[in-house]
Amino acid sequence: MGKKVTVVGAGFYGSTTAQRLAEYDIFDTVVLTDIIEGRPAGLALDMNQSRPIEGFETRVVGITTGPNGEGYEGIGGSDVVVITAGLPRKPGMSRMDLLGVNAKIVRQVSENVAKHAPNAVVIVVSNPLDEMTALTQIATQFPKNRVLGQAGMLDSARFTTFVAEELGVPVASVQTLTLGSHGDTMVPVPSQSTVNGKPLAELLPADKIEELVTRTRNGGAEVVGLLKTGSAYYAPSAAAARMARAVAEDSGAIMPVCAWVDGEYGISGVYLGVQAEIGATGVKRVVETDLTDAERAALEEAAEAVRAKQADVASL
Ligand SMILES: NC(=O)c1ccc[n+]([C@@H]2O[C@H](COP(=O)([O-])OP(=O)(O)OC[C@H]3O[C@@H](n4cnc5c(N)ncnc54)[C@H](O)[C@@H]3O)[C@@H](O)[C@H]2O)c1
């Protein structure tokens, strides 16, 4: 049987993710859903008409879902579900300002996903990311390895882009890593960041690295500030689509994701940005990497910050 992936939420993030997934041409079907009547069907029709030009056979199906779960039967049999439903930030807002409103949306979506796609791996992107990932696991009651969140791939891609631009080198020669939360306690990891295998610290002065780290931490807000309405979606959708692909292909790729941490780095019982091996079962294992004392302390701080917030989401 061919693979099926569902993207919930046909806004900017969801529609660009669906398009990327379709263009991979590795799925039989990409399902795109939204609560706005006609929008997913219209986008699906449009994407399908790009098939002869881009040369892919995957079919995109658009479904409008109702407040009582109407339409969700169409996601049945999905191997992967990407949840993008929810409000994005406006200038001046923090991701945490979205907590109450997006929790209601994500809980409703998760309950329907659990009912209609009980074997899916769920990739969460709705913000605030770490909290919405924890909530999705609670609301679906899926095993923790089958629920993960997208943040680290995007944050690392931003860090990589800034480093490449600063040094005037191809992005492909730069390797960076960010861990921790998708928020104020994001932990960019310069000690694991290299250019053509050379440590970043040998190529840039410490204050310049710190400047790029700060820009990475504020990378989402920088885009929001320019757009005025809505938030980033090209780089975010690239990250979520790659994660969904790793699940569908059972590739075992190691990616920075928001995963359930159970003892790694001496941290337990929290969804946190770490590197993990991704495959058909979701997170196959969390991969620990060497950190400096300061980076390790920052990761522990991030864990405590998100732990406190994640404890509250069960009641939302
Ligand atoms: N994790 C990340 O790195 C990252 C990056 C960028 C954006 N985001 C988040 O992704 C989310 C989506 O962003 P966007 O730019 O696509 O926003 P958007 O406003 O363009 O789209 C959101 C869509 O969700 C739909 N929706 C609302 N409730 C729904 C429900 N119950 N079921 C199905 N669909 C529903 C809306 O109708 C809308 O079409 C936001 O929460 C944003 O903050 C996360």
Side-chain angles (χ1 to χ4, degrees), residues 88-94 97 220-221 223-231:
R89 284 193 277 176
K90 295 198 174 78
M93 280 175 96
S94 89
D97 295 333
V223 176
V224 170
L226 289 164
L227 293 178
K228 310 287 191 297
T229 57
S231 58

Side-chain angles (χ1 to χ4, degrees), residues 8-15 33-36 39 65 72 83-89 95 98 102 104-106 108-109 124-129 149-152 154-155 158 182 230-233 236-237:
V8 180
F12 286 114
Y13 199 145
S15 56
T33 77
D34 204 290
I35 53 171
I36 302 174
R39 181 172 169 86
T65 55
Y72 269 94
I83 300 180
T84 78
L87 267 52
R89 284 193 277 176
R95 293 182 181 92
L98 301 167
N102 281 356
K104 283 196 186 65
I105 294 171
V106 168
Q108 190 253 359
V109 168
V124 181
V125 310
S126 311
N127 273 319
L129 189 274
Q150 188 298 117
L154 168 65
D155 298 327
R158 286 177 171 152
H182 189 50
S231 58
Y233 50 96
S237 62

Side-chain angles (χ1 to χ4, degrees), residues 210-229:
E210 197 45 44
E211 194 184 309
L212 301 183
V213 160
T214 301
R215 192 173 175 201
T216 300
R217 208 172 269 132
N218 299 325
E222 186 178 354
V223 176
V224 170
L226 289 164
L227 293 178
K228 310 287 191 297
T229 57

Side-chain angles (χ1 to χ4, degrees), residues 97-132:
D97 295 333
L98 301 167
L99 184 66
V101 59
N102 281 356
K104 283 196 186 65
I105 294 171
V106 168
R107 179 177 281 281
Q108 190 253 359
V109 168
S110 298
E111 287 169 357
N112 283 298
V113 168
K115 194 163 159 197
H116 295 279
N119 298 316
V121 170
V122 183
I123 297 170
V124 181
V125 310
S126 311
N127 273 319
L129 189 274
D130 306 277
E131 289 71 20
M132 291 305 103

Side-chain angles (χ1 to χ4, degrees), residues 5-258:
V5 57
T6 291
V7 180
V8 180
F12 286 114
Y13 199 145
S15 56
T16 44
T17 301
Q19 181 197 10
R20 291 183 190 284
L21 290 168
E23 288 181 356
Y24 288 158
D25 208 14
I26 61 162
F27 294 96
D28 260 10
T29 313
V30 175
V31 177
L32 180 62
T33 77
D34 204 290
I35 53 171
I36 302 174
E37 179 62 41
R39 181 172 169 86
L43 291 170
L45 191 61
D46 190 9
M47 283 182 212
N48 282 327
Q49 291 165 1
S50 73
R51 294 189 302 159
I53 304 169
E54 283 298 323
F56 63 92
E57 296 296 335
T58 299
R59 285 197 62 82
V60 185
V61 176
I63 298 174
T64 298
T65 55
N68 299 311
E70 300 89 337
Y72 269 94
E73 57 285 350
I75 78 164
S78 295
D79 301 283
V80 195
V81 175
V82 184
I83 300 180
T84 78
L87 267 52
R89 284 193 277 176
K90 295 198 174 78
M93 280 175 96
S94 89
R95 293 182 181 92
M96 206 47 84
D97 295 333
L98 301 167
L99 184 66
V101 59
N102 281 356
K104 283 196 186 65
I105 294 171
V106 168
R107 179 177 281 281
Q108 190 253 359
V109 168
S110 298
E111 287 169 357
N112 283 298
V113 168
K115 194 163 159 197
H116 295 279
N119 298 316
V121 170
V122 183
I123 297 170
V124 181
V125 310
S126 311
N127 273 319
L129 189 274
D130 306 277
E131 289 71 20
M132 291 305 103
T133 306
L135 175 60
T136 299
Q137 193 280 321
I138 291 166
T140 55
Q141 284 295 299
F142 283 2
K144 296 192 170 77
N145 59 290
R146 272 212 279 132
V147 178
L148 61 160
Q150 188 298 117
M153 285 231 353
L154 168 65
D155 298 327
S156 305
R158 286 177 171 152
F159 193 13
T160 293
T161 306
F162 297 148
V163 169
E165 279 172 2
E166 180 63 32
L167 290 169
V169 297
V171 289
S173 64
V174 182
Q175 191 78 40
T176 69
L177 180 63
T178 63
L179 303 174
S181 81
H182 189 50
D184 296 338
T185 49
M186 187 187 298
V187 184
V189 185
S191 75
Q192 289 294 321
S193 301
T194 57
V195 180
N196 286 320
K198 264 197 176 166
L200 204 52
E202 289 180 20
L203 300 163
L204 287 171
D207 58 343
K208 182 46 86 177
I209 295 176
E210 197 45 44
E211 194 184 309
L212 301 183
V213 160
T214 301
R215 192 173 175 201
T216 300
R217 208 172 269 132
N218 299 325
E222 186 178 354
V223 176
V224 170
L226 289 164
L227 293 178
K228 310 287 191 297
T229 57
S231 58
Y233 50 96
Y234 285 110
S237 62
R242 283 288 156 174
M243 288 169 64
R245 182 174 187 156
V247 173
E249 295 187 327
D250 194 21
S251 74
I254 293 172
M255 301 171 161
V257 301
C258 177

